[in-house]
Amino acid sequence: VTAGYALGDIVAALAADRGNELGARLIGDAALRISRVGPLDTADPATLSFLANPRYRSRLEHTAAGGVIVQHELAEEAARGRSVISCDDPYRCFARLTQWWARQTRPAPPGGIHPSAVVDPLADVDATASIGPLAVVEAGARIGAGCVIGPHCCIGRDASIGEDSRLAAHVVVGSDCHIGARALLHSGVVIGADGFGFAPAAGAWEKIEQLGAVRIGDDVEIGANACVDRGALDDTVIEDGVKLDNLVQIAHNVRIGAHTAMAGSSGVAGSSVIGSHCMIGGAAVILGHLQIADGTTISAASVVMRSIRQPGTYSGIFPIDDNAAWEKNAATLRQLHSLRDRLRALERWQVGLLEKNTP
Amino acid sequence: VTAGYALGDIVAALAADRGNELGARLIGDAALRISRVGPLDTADPATLSFLANPRYRSRLEHTAAGGVIVQHELAEEAARGRSVISCDDPYRCFARLTQWWARQTRPAPPGGIHPSAVVDPLADVDATASIGPLAVVEAGARIGAGCVIGPHCCIGRDASIGEDSRLAAHVVVGSDCHIGARALLHSGVVIGADGFGFAPAAGAWEKIEQLGAVRIGDDVEIGANACVDRGALDDTVIEDGVKLDNLVQIAHNVRIGAHTAMAGSSGVAGSSVIGSHCMIGGAAVILGHLQIADGTTISAASVVMRSIRQPGTYSGIFPIDDNAAWEKNAATLRQLHSLRDRLRALERWQVGLLEKNTP
Amino acid sequence: VTAGYALGDIVAALAADRGNELGARLIGDAALRISRVGPLDTADPATLSFLANPRYRSRLEHTAAGGVIVQHELAEEAARGRSVISCDDPYRCFARLTQWWARQTRPAPPGGIHPSAVVDPLADVDATASIGPLAVVEAGARIGAGCVIGPHCCIGRDASIGEDSRLAAHVVVGSDCHIGARALLHSGVVIGADGFGFAPAAGAWEKIEQLGAVRIGDDVEIGANACVDRGALDDTVIEDGVKLDNLVQIAHNVRIGAHTAMAGSSGVAGSSVIGSHCMIGGAAVILGHLQIADGTTISAASVVMRSIRQPGTYSGIFPIDDNAAWEKNAATLRQLHSLRDRLRALERWQVGLLEKNTP
């Protein structure tokens, strides 16, 4: 795909990034051609790889990688027989390498508005933004400097997208919703559909129009086909740095605290407030009107039914088993309360027996 | 956003709605300017709020709301120091207020077919319908009076959309599918993808083409990125008044009874028949070929593995706990059946002991 | 909808399909008009039906179907009073019937590129492919012979679609991703969104650009709004013949083995390797970095937390119960470990008692 880059140029780029705050420096062959970033186990001599965790240092012995990113402490050991990028935090350094690599290898989006896009004359599109083919930008919408709006996106009336945000193909941002700077919204994301709100009305449901919007902070990433509903009266809020994976469901009036990450297919029901720096596992479910403390971790596929006040790791998953064993245990589980009562009865009888036999 | 509306005009509008069946009447200042509908706790003097549940009447003392919707019994108490809309059912009255508010504040869609839309000459689009930019309407499709079809929607061959239905941006309605009147389909909804049907064929799968369609009744709302598959031979059916939240999955040949509501990320597997007036919690799963009685409530995240004949509330959720406690309990759960056997053995021994000691 | 087809013509078509490998032959009236393919219980004399499982042969007595597909052994019995298609495997024969029926009744897509589509001059679209209205095909993309690309699809830069693949409306295939031959991707499918990868960075998250792609084999079907993420460094791989239902989530660097089927709303977390010929139930969750043996079946809504080395059927579902019973059992479940300890204490006491009483 690419003829590759000289390792010296790569290290120079990493060192030039944010004042070389990770302390990257080269030990080895600056002229080495790197054609691929890859994991240690499938590396070849033109691969630049990384060792994030020193526990796995033995992998260095068996890799064919021509270059490896390691922490300073391991640099000397790792540099035997290959080139090394020594730094403070190899995993973050690797992350920045992928960012640099993507910038080199991915074509820049064309500037300007594609002629097939339908942009309302009353929309405010920055001259440096890119509006993809067949996108729709409605009246009053604002698209910030450096934004890339993909094909078939639809930016609703009076919505706004902060600078340098990227929307992949097929993203919908509803009217009045606000996306911060440097967002990355993947295909199929729907921001600002109606929250699920109805008043019971003589056996039917009366629609509660959802009059709030969605406010999303800076540096937020949202995965494919995920949904963030607009609020009923106030806004649904996603704070800075939040990362939501594919198919995540955020109901109306939820607040997700800064830098919280939620893995694929997880969801939060209406009006719950999730703290900052939480990690919510895939397919986990958080019921409505709850509060989750900052720094809480919820295991994958667990269901949160009450507020969590104390940070920690919480789980609730039925252990998988071969089907026959599961069937027996599951059937018994439905009698668990009576088993407890029978155990108590035995204990009481035991106590009585002990008392009787005590002179 | 808006200069607001006179409270007297609002009450007049509510009283004019459906013969004032909720008995709304004003007690207080008809000239009061209302600029926002909001909850009691964040209200200001220009906010119109509501008290749905008389148990929370103490909140009336602390709200700054200029106007409050209450039931007749509380009108006198609530009217001290503020204006009141007195009515039979404050929550429904609030719902209608949001509907009226949305009509006032949201611009009407432009009539007619946007020039960028691709409408087949053999489609039948009512003259009063609005077809948004870049929408596709295929041959034989019928779009009823007053419909609003959003940007990028795709209405398949011979599909039909009943009058006054609204489709947000990016809705797909497959060929031959029928949507009733006054539907509201949110962005990313897919109606009429193929059901998941294959015949085993020597280690591979042979496609069963899905020859049925989807029939959706009147007054149905479907949330963002939800899916309703077409039937294998007969149709998948969603009855009148059903409300489906975001990311709901309805498999082929399912029937959802009238006015049933399903919360986000829940799903129903093939050929199950859900009764009317059911409430299915978020992320709940209903397996295939089951029947669920009218009026059944399924708790969030519960899995229905057998038919439910008796209405009631049903639950099945592993309780969440701190991770260490969960691990111990989950491990023990896998031995539950043998614990029961050991308990039985103790009980039998106890019985034997008692018999032996009985003279 | 259709005036129907003569049963003799249908059988001739089935016999001409793949060298009549299912051995289809007609017993009865070749002139019978068939206007519908349908199940036995709702059949009328113009319906062609099928009996897949001989256990249900009694249904033959009550059906009004004019024609029935049965296995050879049942042909004589089934042919009393009606026409029969006798064959080696009635369910597969039915599957092929649906395929033939769909070919007859569904209009062929128009050839060529719709004038409203936006196809980059550097894309390579086979002359026999059909590109629907308002689709986007980016530079370097290759669309194979006989492909049908639906309305609003977006085929990214350098992506490729194998011959005779069909993409319904609103499918996104990201840059560099490869789809094999004869694929069927339903509306809302997103192939090649970024995997969920971030390095922790001083309380925030540093983006790991996802440099891999997605490779999908031949004969794969993917349901509506399902997602397959691109790999971090290597590719995410879906092997030949895999069938994914709606709203399935496949994370980065996952591999799904050939002919595995995953039902609706199930998901696989990053880097897990699922064997071939597996069946994954709806809403099941497979955590990351696991291996699942070929031929494994996972029950619906079960959570796989450890690798499965031995094929078999595995389950882990909290049994649903009426809410009051569930509450009691769930509360007790949180004390299960201590119940086990109390049971052990009783058993030890019992042993001590027995020893003491033994002379």
Side-chain angles (χ1 to χ4, degrees), chain C residues 187-264:
Chain C
S187 292
V189 163
V190 179
I191 305 295
D194 279 353
F196 198 61
F198 304 92
W205 299 103
E206 182 110 34
K207 168 81 171 173
I208 297 170
E209 289 287 348
Q210 303 292 296
L211 303 175
V214 177
R215 273 184 295 132
I216 293 181
D218 295 334
D219 300 300
V220 167
E221 181 165 343
I222 304 184
N225 287 340
C227 302
V228 182
D229 275 356
R230 66 176 61 241
L233 295 171
D234 297 322
D235 293 341
T236 304
V237 177
I238 309 289
E239 297 184 359
D240 290 349
V242 165
K243 311 297 180 187
L244 306 180
D245 198 358
N246 296 352
L247 293 163
V248 163
Q249 151 71 352
I250 306 294
H252 55 180
N253 299 105
V254 164
R255 174 180 283 264
I256 309 284
H259 306 295
T260 282
M262 296 182 60

Side-chain angles (χ1 to χ4, degrees), chain A residues 134 152 157 188 201 203 205-207 209-210 225 229 234 249 313-315 317 321 329 332 342 349, chain B residues 18 36 92 96 98-99 106-107 134 152 170 221 225 246 259 277 321 323 326 334 337 347 350:
Chain A
L134 302 168
H152 302 113
R157 180 178 282 265
W205 298 103
E206 182 110 35
K207 168 83 170 172
E209 290 286 349
Q210 303 291 296
N225 286 341
D229 277 353
D234 296 323
Q249 151 72 349
T313 297
Y314 296 85
S315 305
I317 310 166
D321 210 339
N329 289 321
T332 310
R342 286 158 56 187
W349 166 75
Chain B
R18 280 161 270 192
R36 177 173 171 259
R92 281 178 73 185
R96 290 181 182 189
T98 64
Q99 295 166 16
R106 293 179 182 164
L134 301 168
H152 302 113
H170 284 234
E221 182 165 340
N225 287 341
N246 297 353
H259 307 294
H277 302 286
D321 210 339
N323 190 68
W326 166 75
R334 294 182 67 183
H337 191 67
E347 288 172 331
Q350 175 202 32

Side-chain angles (χ1 to χ4, degrees), chain A residues 24-25 52 81 99 141 175-176 206 220 225 239 245 252 260 274 276 279 345:
Chain A
R25 65 168 187 265
Q99 295 165 17
S175 58
D176 298 314
E206 182 110 35
V220 168
N225 286 341
E239 295 185 0
D245 196 357
H252 54 181
T260 282
I274 313 299
S276 61
M279 312 238 292

Side-chain angles (χ1 to χ4, degrees), chain B residues 29 32 35 38 43 47 62 80 93 115 128 135 161 163 198 201 236 254 256 280 287 310 312 317 319 343 353:
Chain B
D29 178 10
L32 179 69
S35 64
T47 300
H62 307 101
R80 290 183 199 125
C93 190
T128 60
I161 314 288
E163 58 186 24
F198 304 93
T236 303
V254 164
I256 309 285
I280 312 296
L287 300 197
Q310 206 60 32
I317 310 166
L343 183 62
L353 209 63

Side-chain angles (χ1 to χ4, degrees), chain C residues 260-342:
Chain C
T260 282
M262 296 182 60
S265 302
S266 58
V268 183
S271 299
S272 279
V273 177
I274 313 299
S276 61
H277 300 287
C278 294
M279 312 240 293
I280 312 296
V285 176
I286 297 171
L287 300 197
H289 298 275
L290 303 181
Q291 301 203 358
I292 307 295
D294 294 351
T296 298
T297 295
I298 304 296
S299 296
S302 299
V303 181
V304 182
M305 288 179 285
R306 54 181 174 84
S307 288
I308 292 179
R309 309 290 179 188
Q310 206 60 35
T313 297
Y314 296 84
S315 306
I317 311 165
F318 201 106
I320 200 165
D321 210 339
D322 69 88
N323 190 67
W326 165 76
E327 277 194 354
K328 284 198 289 188
N329 289 321
T332 310
L333 177 54
R334 296 183 65 184
Q335 315 157 6
L336 186 56
H337 191 67
S338 68
L339 289 188
R340 190 189 63 164
D341 290 346
R342 286 158 57 189

